[in-house]
Amino acid sequence: MDINKYGAKGKLGVKQLYSLAELDEGQIYEILHLARKLKQKQQVKEKLSVFDGKNVAIMLKSSSSRIRISFELAVNRLGGKTLYLSPSDTDFLNGLTYLDAANMLYRYGVNGIVVKNLTADEISQFKTFGKLPVIALKDGRGSPCQILASLYTVWETAGRLSGVKLLVAGDCRRVNAEELNAYAKCGVEVTLCCPKECLPDDELFEKISQFGEVKIVHDLSAALKNADIVTSVHGEENVPALGAYKITEEALGACPAAKYLHVLPVRHGEEVEDSVLYGEKSVAFERAGNLIYAEQSLMMLLFR
C-alpha cells in the first residue's frame, strides 16, 4: 500500500496501545498522516485547542526526562494539561494495583495515560479496566512513539515509504524486531550490514523477517551505494571489527542522496562521525523534533 495514496479516515479503532506490533499498515498510516497535518499547522504557528480541558497523566517507573519533556510539550501545544507522576511519587501507588490506579485516575477525570515498561500483569490490569486510554512506552528503539517518529521522518525525507532502502549498520545483534517489522509493514526494504561476529541469532532473525525479506551483507561501502536511509546500532560490548562499520563522511559520500537517521543517544565517534551526525546529510535531530508530532497524533487518535 502506498502511504501517499492512502485515504486517512481519522480513526484508529483502538483505545490502548502497548506495542506497534498490534497495528496494521493502515493504522500506522493513520497516525503518520495526522502527524503530518499537525506539523504543518504548528509550523505556521496555528494555535491548536483540541485538548482544551483534557488531562493526560504521565506515569513513569523510572526517571526519563526526554519522555516527560516531549509529552508535556506535545500535550501543551494541543491545549491540554499533563499530570506527571514521577518515580519518587511512590505514595500514589502505595498499596494500589495498576487496576486500582486506572480506576482512580479515570474517576479523577484523566483522559489518557502514558506509562512505561509495564509488566505483562500490569498490561492485563489496564486491559481489564478498559475505560482509560493508554499509551505504553518502552526503553530504546522499540518504543511505539520512537518508531512512529522514525517512520514519519523517513516518509518526510524520502517522499515515500514503500520501496525505500534502509541500511542498518553495526552490531546487528542489537536490532529491534518491532522497529524493523514496522518498517517492513510499510514496504521499506531492510538490509543489515555487520561483521560476521555481530549477526543476529536465528531467533532474532526470524522475528525481524516476519513481514518481508531482510538482507544481510558485510561490505559497508557497497551497501551504502544503494541506501536511501542509513542508521547505526551499537551495544556496550567492545567489538574491534565494528570499527570498519562506522558511518563516516567519506563512506556516506558514495551515495549522495542517502540520509543518516538515528534515534539518539548515539555513541559519538564509534557509530558515526560527528561531521555526519551534525552535517547536512543527517536527519537525526529532525527525527527528534518529529517525536512531538508522532506523540500528538497518537494521543489524538486514542484519547479523543
Side-chain angles (χ1 to χ4, degrees):
M1 191 189 313
D2 185 345
I3 188 172
N4 294 312
K5 295 180 181 178
Y6 178 81
K9 303 170 184 65
K11 58 183 180 180
L12 206 55
V14 296
K15 283 182 64 176
Q16 299 181 341
L17 182 65
Y18 298 95
S19 166
L20 211 63
E22 300 168 2
L23 302 184
D24 60 27
E25 182 183 5
Q27 290 171 307
I28 292 172
Y29 290 170
E30 287 290 340
I31 300 167
L32 300 184
H33 271 277
L34 181 54
R36 182 171 67 172
K37 287 183 180 179
L38 289 166
K39 182 171 184 177
Q40 290 169 345
K41 289 175 181 292
Q42 288 165 84
Q43 282 183 324
V44 297
K45 308 299 182 183
E46 182 176 334
K47 186 176 180 179
L48 302 175
S49 57
V50 290
F51 269 20
D52 186 31
K54 293 188 180 295
N55 299 293
V56 176
I58 303 172
M59 194 171 178
L60 307 179
K61 289 182 179 179
S62 57
S63 180
S64 179
S65 296
R66 284 191 295 257
I67 290 175
R68 178 178 57 79
I69 290 169
S70 65
F71 268 100
E72 286 185 347
L73 286 171
V75 173
N76 179 267
R77 291 177 188 175
L78 293 177
K81 295 180 180 179
T82 56
L83 307 167
Y84 177 51
L85 294 119
S86 76
S88 62
D89 293 325
T90 53
D91 60 317
F92 178 78
L93 277 175
N94 188 22
L96 298 179
T97 65
Y98 273 80
L99 180 57
D100 297 335
N103 265 287
M104 289 177 64
L105 290 169
Y106 179 75
R107 296 310 194 281
Y108 288 167
V110 167
N111 301 98
I113 184 169
V114 177
V115 287
K116 180 185 172 192
N117 289 341
L118 294 178
T119 65
D121 179 60
E122 290 161 353
I123 289 173
S124 178
Q125 290 180 49
F126 276 115
K127 287 182 176 180
T128 296
F129 180 60
K131 295 179 182 178
L132 187 67
V134 176
I135 295 174
L137 308 177
K138 305 171 187 176
D139 286 320
R141 303 173 76 130
S143 196
C145 294
Q146 296 288 1
I147 298 172
L148 289 166
S150 295
L151 283 167
Y152 177 78
T153 306
V154 172
W155 180 29
E156 185 178 60
T157 302
R160 68 193 196 285
L161 285 174
S162 183
V164 168
K165 294 177 172 57
L166 172 72
L167 176 67
V168 183
D171 191 346
C172 292
R173 299 170 298 179
R174 312 291 180 184
V175 296
N176 183 273
E178 286 187 34
E179 179 188 22
L180 296 189
N181 284 335
Y183 278 118
K185 279 182 186 178
C186 298
V188 175
E189 299 172 14
V190 179
T191 298
L192 307 183
C193 185
C194 62
K196 292 182 179 179
E197 53 264 59
C198 292
L199 288 168
D201 61 29
D202 291 343
E203 182 181 359
L204 178 56
F205 188 73
E206 184 177 352
K207 287 180 179 178
I208 64 178
S209 304
Q210 293 179 62
F211 296 95
E213 180 187 7
V214 174
K215 298 178 182 177
I216 295 180
V217 298
H218 302 293
D219 186 335
L220 180 61
S221 296
L224 284 170
K225 292 178 181 178
N226 297 314
D228 297 307
I229 302 291
V230 181
T231 190
S232 55
V233 57
H234 276 229
E236 297 297 325
E237 182 183 348
N238 182 27
V239 182
L242 283 174
Y245 293 82
K246 178 169 68 177
I247 307 302
T248 65
E249 200 169 2
E250 180 182 0
L252 204 55
C255 186
K259 297 291 185 179
Y260 180 75
L261 177 75
H262 200 282
V263 173
L264 301 175
V266 67
R267 295 172 72 90
H268 290 268
E270 294 181 34
E271 292 182 66
V272 59
E273 287 182 341
D274 280 357
S275 58
V276 172
L277 181 65
Y278 300 117
E280 293 181 356
K281 296 180 77 64
S282 172
V283 291
F285 295 100
E286 188 68 22
R287 194 219 71 91
N290 285 337
L291 179 61
I292 296 283
Y293 310 114
E295 291 171 348
Q296 288 179 327
S297 177
L298 188 55
M299 286 189 292
M300 282 181 62
L301 289 166
L302 290 176
F303 296 175
R304 286 205 299 178

